[in-house]
Amino acid sequence: MAQATGSATAQPAPALPSAPAVQPVTAEERTISAITVEGAQRLEGDTVLSYTKLRIGNKYTRETLDEALRELYASELFSDVQIRDNQGALTIQVTENPVINRIVLEGNKRLKDDKILPEIRMAPRQIYTRSKVRADVARIIELYRRQGRFAAVVDPKLVQLDQNRVDIVYEITEGPKSKVRQINIIGNDKFSDGQLRSEMATKQSRWFRVFSSGTTYDPDRLAYDQQKVRQFYLTQGYADFRVVSAVAELTSNKQDFIITYVVEEGDRYKFGDVTVQSDIRDLSSEGLSRSLRMKKGDWYNAKAVEDTVEQLNQTAGLFGYAFADVQPEFNRSREDLTMGITFRIANAPRVYVERIDINGNTLTQDKVVRREFRLHEGDAFNTFQVRRSQDRINSLGFFQERLEIDQKPGSAPDRIVLETNVEEKATGELQLSAGFSSLERFILSASVTQRNFRGMGQELRTSVNYSSYSKSVNVGFTEPYFLDKNIALGGDIFRQDTNSFNYLSGNDRNTLYSQVRTGFQLRAGLPITEYLSLALRYGLSFEDVTLDKANYYSDREQAGNFQCDPLRASQYLCDAIGKRTTSSIGYSLIYDMRDNRIRPTRGHSITFSQDFAGLGGNVRYLRNRLSADKYWPLGGGFIFSVKGEAGYIHSFEDGAGPNSDPVRLVDRFFLGEPQLRGFDIRGVGPRIVRKPYLYDENNNVIGLSENRDQWSDDALGGRAYYLTHFEIEIPLGAGARDMGLRPSVFVDAGAVFGVRRPNLIDLPQNIDFPIRDASGLRQCITPATDTTASSLSSIPDGASCPSGTTPYVTSIGGFKEVFLGDSPKPRVSVGFGVNWNSPFGPFRIDIAKALVKVDGDDTKLVTFNIGTQF
């Protein structure tokens, strides 16, 4: 019987022997009389024997024992094996491989443990083998090479423990990323190295490409670059172009690569005869041939051929032939260097939609997606309607960007299945923004929006705005398909409390002006055509504008008759006082041809709006607005957009005073951040600036202060405005794109103007005003003494202050009001901004410089906005 013996002492570091040990055996056959297993600690003797063919009573030779040794080593359970033969009594001496206690990674900063450990074979409680360690080292190095770190070194270490256990420590030296030092191109005569390098995704490492991921060497990108260069030559007419070889050499320090391409340009071809041969009855060969953009004699362009195939497929799809087969046949003439092409359209059946499948929507209900389809089961297939359906689903903003509708064969040749595989994304948004404004000081804004409430496409939103001088809350709800009909209904309830628009002298702000506005709005929308829709709305709001009488009212003009005093409050504030009710009805005509309403890349839209106030209430006006935008994809991921808007409001009332504007302050247009970047909130347009007078030691006027910090600046708004934006969205490399970075450069221009010039005040000397109590009585002050504090007492008008007291008054320093900013001259700013889908939510920062401004405008360099999604 086989016997197993072992020792509990720790074994030395396992190592493979240089040659199997079998001692001694003669060449003739013998019979195994006994088998003994020694050295096994964890394994039973029978288990060790099970890996061999040795059995008691069997014949054996030297070759038989050699085979047993190979079988035991192949099990990878032993680091050393010896077989001793004593006249048929075999002794198998084994040294077991240790058990792995743990695996430790050291020095890995760029690749964390959770990225490396799942990729290696070794794991705790497994048997250690050198072959697995070598494989794991190679795997780790491969992971680093995928990141472009070809200088990475992995040194495995073994830490011996008791009970034949080991810790495996991989000491990693990551090294720098291996950059592309140089790209050499040999054989190019028609185009320069710079032109060809510009077509490649791989870029030479230079200081100005510090944020580019294309400077890192990637062997997969090398093959892609060869294809890009070939495509470039094919678009220039070089139909015989080929890349002979592409070699990447790693420098001796393993930090840089030098890539060398050898190319063969060949001859340049022109288009020969280009025709279309259609076997489909509804498609005229002659008509399609005349519509081709490529003509005989033009330089050959492979991209134009691909585009033509796609165009012909789409044309066939418009007639319901979803599976039309368009094949270009080339007729190359090397003698006259022409390329004749015949586009053959094979006969195909007219196709109908058999089924529409929607997959992947766990939250969004099927009907929310289906109602955006312009095709239904049983309809004739139409590529235009499929593309339009795709654009409408993308415009929902509920799913991944660039969602596509797949077209798959149905149960019969004339049937097609439209399959939409969606990946739902966060449709809830929590948005926070903070800022500091010369008008409103500290500003905090928070809004919560759920654009896919209950998975039914409904929108629920609430917003809160808080600053040192204003507060507002708004709650709204929209049902886009009321009773499953293509009619949108919605409503908003709002409350706004404002305490701004006026300064005291110096840097202090007057917080005693109060405007409270409460109301609601009902909305409805319905489509007129596929691209034209009508939006209707009705709003009712109640507004109360008040000033603190103790600080802004006086009987300066008529004793006992307390009125708003323009010396203490500007005339425009006095005109704004009172309670008003606004009942308005309005509509918007919207023509939208954009491919995506949320993040468009092509198309245009136009919106015309009018709102009439006067259906009840005591405010009457007509507000007009016109806005439009257009987007162009420039290629390479660049998107150019132009946006413009303008508005005018006409009042059917007279002004509150002889020089008061008929349009109330709260109904006028205002312009500034965020509409016009580079300017502060309400930083553009008509305004009243109060400049304090300067005096000498004898209290004589010597001029006006030109220190803006000492001015009071009150924006008045205007009856008309216009605004334009020119913006280019700039694509970044794959790394930055994965981070969600979308930078852009922009130019903004606009103005607000058209308010009646108000009465202006010029007060060279200080004026004292009595301070009154809550009952309107004048107050007298008793000065403080060493034992008593100061105190106030009230007296009626006409009476004198008691002995020992003095009138309690406030003083208004001399000032002069200046009317500025009422000009249609465009204010222009230029700048750049970045959208970032950060881990904590969407982030937007803009840096803009005002290039053109007029006196009185307030500028601002940096603005930012931050939020999160759920």
Side-chain angles (χ1 to χ4, degrees), residues 538-702:
Y538 171 77
L540 179 65
S541 64
F542 305 93
E543 184 179 64
D544 186 13
V545 179
T546 60
L547 293 174
D548 185 83
K549 293 185 178 181
N551 288 280
Y552 286 119
Y553 282 56
S554 75
D555 55 355
R556 179 174 54 87
E557 298 183 357
Q558 183 179 355
N561 182 18
F562 292 94
Q563 296 179 342
C564 179
D565 192 334
L567 292 181
R568 308 183 72 180
S570 298
Q571 181 63 52
Y572 81 94
L573 279 180
C574 293
D575 295 340
I577 295 172
K579 295 183 178 180
R580 297 175 178 85
T581 301
T582 303
S583 176
S584 65
I585 188 171
Y587 72 92
S588 295
L589 279 174
I590 306 166
Y591 183 74
D592 195 344
M593 288 281 291
R594 296 173 299 177
D595 63 336
N596 192 313
R597 291 192 299 268
I598 297 176
R599 190 183 169 191
T601 60
R602 66 177 187 275
H604 62 275
S605 70
I606 302 173
T607 302
F608 176 71
S609 302
Q610 284 189 310
D611 290 277
F612 173 73
L615 297 178
N618 51 13
V619 177
R620 297 186 298 277
Y621 63 76
L622 178 64
R623 185 193 302 270
N624 307 278
R625 287 178 185 263
L626 177 66
S627 64
D629 55 31
K630 186 168 179 60
Y631 297 83
W632 293 271
L634 303 180
F638 289 88
I639 300 172
F640 176 59
S641 63
V642 177
K643 305 175 186 177
E645 59 179 286
Y648 180 78
I649 183 170
H650 174 74
S651 176
F652 298 102
E653 305 175 76
D654 296 327
N659 283 339
S660 298
D661 197 275
V663 179
R664 297 179 308 143
L665 176 72
V666 294
D667 294 327
R668 298 173 196 162
F669 297 111
F670 290 88
L671 204 58
E673 182 196 341
Q675 308 99 321
L676 189 58
R677 292 162 287 193
F679 293 87
D680 208 343
I681 297 175
R682 298 185 178 183
V684 170
R687 58 213 321 106
I688 292 177
V689 176
R690 280 192 176 187
K691 298 182 179 181
Y693 276 106
L694 301 177
Y695 305 94
D696 59 16
E697 62 275 5
N698 298 320
N699 207 29
N700 295 319
V701 175
I702 60 175

Side-chain angles (χ1 to χ4, degrees), residues 178-217:
S178 301
K179 301 291 186 178
V180 177
R181 179 190 298 178
Q182 186 70 30
I183 300 177
N184 301 317
I185 305 174
I186 301 173
N188 54 313
D189 296 326
K190 305 301 182 181
F191 300 98
S192 67
D193 289 4
Q195 285 178 286
L196 299 183
R197 291 192 194 110
S198 66
E199 298 295 323
M200 300 178 184
T202 303
K203 303 298 180 184
Q204 297 179 131
S205 178
R206 299 294 183 266
W207 66 269
F208 52 85
R209 294 195 179 109
V210 62
F211 296 111
S212 174
S213 61
T215 58
T216 303
Y217 173 73

Side-chain angles (χ1 to χ4, degrees), residues 221-258:
R221 196 185 297 138
L222 189 68
Y224 175 75
D225 288 339
Q226 295 180 57
Q227 185 64 21
K228 290 287 290 182
V229 173
R230 184 173 183 276
Q231 288 177 356
F232 171 74
Y233 270 95
L234 290 177
T235 61
Q236 303 299 319
Y238 295 89
D240 297 327
F241 172 83
R242 68 188 186 98
V243 178
V244 178
S245 65
V247 179
E249 298 177 279
L250 185 62
T251 58
S252 58
N253 60 5
K254 296 186 178 181
Q255 294 187 5
D256 296 299
F257 275 90
I258 298 175

